[in-house]
Amino acid sequence: MADTTATDPWIGKYVVVRTRDAGVHAGILKSRNARECELTESRRLWYWKVAENGAFLSGVATNGLDYKASKIGAPIDVLLTENCEIIACSEKAAQSIAQAPTHEPR
């Protein structure tokens, strides 16, 4: 993937990414090109509920997660393809997602 760091203002920001086939991920945007992006410290949001009675995925990017009702994967580095949307996170939401407990199947 081409290095877009010098020209892309989204690089280095914590984002939520919805993909066509890989679900929803949140992490630090390392690079992006067309419908591909690379995230570091990425958490898969397998099942999510917005904190503070918010709604929609944009609510996750604004308010963060309700930990009791969400299932979040461990942090990884990932290359995502077929991105449908990339949403910038508020600082509050980024901290909420990054600090969410990792879901451990029983």
Side-chain angles (χ1 to χ4, degrees), residues 77-98:
D77 294 341
V78 65
L79 174 63
L80 299 170
T81 61
E82 298 302 322
N83 301 326
C84 300
E85 66 181 331
I86 300 175
I87 308 169
C89 286
S90 70
E91 184 63 33
K92 174 174 120 178
Q95 288 179 1
S96 170
I97 298 165

Side-chain angles (χ1 to χ4, degrees), residues 44-58:
R44 182 185 301 268
L45 281 63
W46 182 70
Y47 182 85
W48 49 267
K49 183 173 180 187
V50 183
E52 301 173 16
N53 294 319
F56 312 111
L57 195 54
S58 55

Side-chain angles (χ1 to χ4, degrees), residues 1 6 16 19 22 36 39 41-42 59 75-76 86 93 96 98:
M1 186 172 293
V16 173
T19 69
E36 290 187 352
L39 298 180
E41 301 175 34
S42 176
I76 60 167
I86 300 175
S96 170

